[in-house]
Amino acid sequence: MAQIGRREYECSYTLSGGFSLSSSSSACQFKLSPVLLVFICSHCVSVYFENDAFVCDSLCSVFSPLFVTWKKVVNGGEPRLRGCIGTLEACQLINGFRDYALTSALRDRRFPPIQAKELPNLECTVSILTDYETANNYLDWEVGKHGIIIEFVDDYNTRRSATYLPEVPAHEGWTRVEAIDSLIRKAGFSGPITESLRKRIKLTRYQSTLFTMHYSDYASHVKATRGAAPTIAGAKFGNH
């Protein structure tokens, strides 16, 4: 759902990719590597519950749109969405993931805020959005390859917009038309969906790079570098 100003959006589904990790001292001052971005998300939520301060060198000069997704894994079952919010406007990566890690964990209106006791069962996915292109029409994109942003003015002269990350239509098994119609509903339009309405859509397509880390991987790295696992609300979480 779009919000005026920073143009934030909620999304519904992400997958994993793969990178390498590098970090340093207990002051949480890190050297940059792509997996660090998801590590930062896990860390800033942990220190939030520790009532501690997050400190990180702004070594990254890269700006990009991004999303942060939290899912909860219970008894080895399918991970269930616990929060997901991001921005389609470019922001500095480290600061952006730090901010949206907390926003998606605590302020996704579809879910109650994540609690400290849930951390051992959480996994975090970061999505970096790239390759923005203006499509020729609402069908000018590929399922499984492109994320899509739609913008349109409805019959009541209300401007609406919504987005799906690239993984959503493929996961749901949608055709391009089905994905567009679902996005129209996601944008808040409840009237009849006609071909005329679809043709009024301005569509932007993009791609994404993803990485997922389970909280246990974060806790293991903290234990290896600091000699002790994170302590949250008086309980230590190690390997799970």
Side-chain angles (χ1 to χ4, degrees), residues 143-165:
V143 174
K145 177 180 180 180
H146 295 116
I148 52 175
I149 306 164
I150 65 166
E151 300 171 89
F152 64 97
V153 176
D154 66 20
D155 298 332
Y156 303 98
N157 206 32
T158 300
R159 187 175 300 276
R160 300 184 182 275
S161 62
T163 188
Y164 278 141
L165 295 179

Side-chain angles (χ1 to χ4, degrees), residues 104-121:
S104 59
L106 305 173
R107 301 185 184 94
D108 188 326
R109 291 170 294 180
R110 299 168 294 177
F111 306 97
I114 287 174
Q115 300 180 40
K117 64 183 180 181
E118 297 180 80
L119 292 182
N121 296 316

Side-chain angles (χ1 to χ4, degrees), residues 2 20 34 45 59 67 72 85 87 100-101 130 135 138 152 155 160 175 185 188 227 232:
S20 60
V45 170
L59 299 177
F67 275 82
K72 187 173 182 179
I85 296 179
T87 176
Y100 281 100
T130 62
Y138 76 91
F152 64 97
D155 298 332
R160 300 184 182 275
T175 65
R185 295 303 187 206
I232 306 296

Side-chain angles (χ1 to χ4, degrees), residues 5 7 29 44 66 77 79 94 102 111 113 125 144 146-147 150 167-168 170 198-199 203 210 229 231:
R7 200 180 179 197
Q29 293 180 322
C44 71
L66 56 89
I94 290 180
L102 287 173
F111 306 97
T125 296
H146 295 116
I150 65 166
E167 297 74 33
V168 177
R198 296 188 189 106
K199 288 182 176 180
L203 188 141
L210 309 168
T231 301

Side-chain angles (χ1 to χ4, degrees), residues 87-104:
T87 176
L88 295 173
E89 296 181 355
C91 61
Q92 199 270 348
L93 286 183
I94 290 180
N95 291 334
F97 280 117
R98 177 197 63 196
D99 294 343
Y100 281 100
L102 287 173
T103 300
S104 59

